[in-house]
Amino acid sequence: MREYEFELLFKVNTNEEMNNLIDRLYEAGCDDALIGSGKSGVIGLSFTREAISAAEAFESAIKDVKKAIPTASLTEAKPDFAGVSDIAETIGCSRQNILKIFASSEAPMPVHSGNTSLWHLSEALRWLNDGKRAERYNIPQWKIDVATIAKEINFAVEAMRMPTHTSIRQLLA
């Protein structure tokens, strides 16, 4: 087993006192998380969870939160979206190095381009861990796994929010 680091954000009932929520989360098994509530109605948990796999770590954490707060609604898993600075920090290099590497036509396309471009961290890490780049960066597989599971969770959360429009699905098929 190994430790996996990730964050989960949940929408919660704002009528309950935060200390009560924290106590319930601790009792339900979230004693391996730092808990924050900077925004009203949202609770964030930063986990360092021991598990056999990244998927198991996320699954057990979500189950523990839902056990403590059955009405909590998962809104986001992290790390998923990442800018240049996030990618650089994740792999331990400079921001300028990432900008130079991602200027390549082979680099993954950002999911958002603009003043701040964003990538799915899992795609960026996979690309950086491929071929000759793998020798230079040697990204641990667990980091790629955590980012991949976070992305999958976020896709599932978003899919649950989306209405089904047959014409759009046909257009994209």
Side-chain angles (χ1 to χ4, degrees):
M1 289 218 281
R2 69 157 296 109
E3 288 184 339
Y4 294 92
E5 298 172 7
F6 57 94
E7 295 178 39
L8 298 172
L9 298 176
F10 288 86
K11 184 177 178 185
V12 295
N13 180 350
T14 57
N15 295 333
E16 191 162 359
E17 189 165 324
M18 186 56 147
N19 287 338
N20 291 340
L21 292 177
I22 291 171
D23 289 344
R24 288 184 14 219
L25 287 163
Y26 184 82
E27 291 167 7
C30 296
D31 54 341
D32 56 351
L34 294 173
I35 303 168
S37 65
K39 182 179 178 186
S40 180
V42 176
I43 190 166
L45 296 96
S46 181
F47 284 93
T48 302
R49 179 147 292 203
E50 195 171 294
I52 293 171
S53 67
E56 182 185 287
F58 274 99
E59 183 178 327
S60 66
I62 293 167
K63 284 181 179 179
D64 287 349
V65 172
K66 296 292 278 178
K67 182 172 37 172
I69 312 168
T71 59
S73 174
L74 181 64
T75 60
E76 185 179 1
K78 296 178 181 183
D80 181 9
F81 296 107
V84 171
S85 297
D86 302 315
I87 297 167
E89 182 180 331
T90 300
I91 66 170
C93 73
S94 72
R95 186 179 186 288
Q96 291 76 15
N97 187 27
I98 295 298
L99 285 170
K100 179 180 173 185
I101 296 166
F102 276 63
S104 164
S105 62
E106 299 171 3
M109 291 295 297
V111 292
H112 171 75
S113 295
N115 287 341
T116 302
S117 292
L118 295 173
W119 290 262
H120 284 292
L121 182 59
S122 61
E123 293 172 15
L125 294 180
R126 247 190 244 94
W127 181 74
L128 288 166
N129 214 34
D130 187 40
K132 291 180 183 177
R133 292 177 300 275
E135 296 170 14
R136 183 169 185 186
Y137 298 106
N138 195 24
I139 301 163
Q141 186 60 45
W142 73 267
K143 286 187 177 187
I144 298 170
D145 293 345
V146 165
T148 300
I149 298 298
K151 175 182 158 186
E152 290 174 7
I153 289 170
N154 290 334
F155 279 163
V157 166
E158 194 60 30
M160 290 172 47
R161 291 185 203 149
M162 298 293 291
T164 304
H165 293 288
T166 306
S167 60
I168 293 173
R169 290 183 189 267
Q170 290 172 346
L171 177 67
L172 298 175

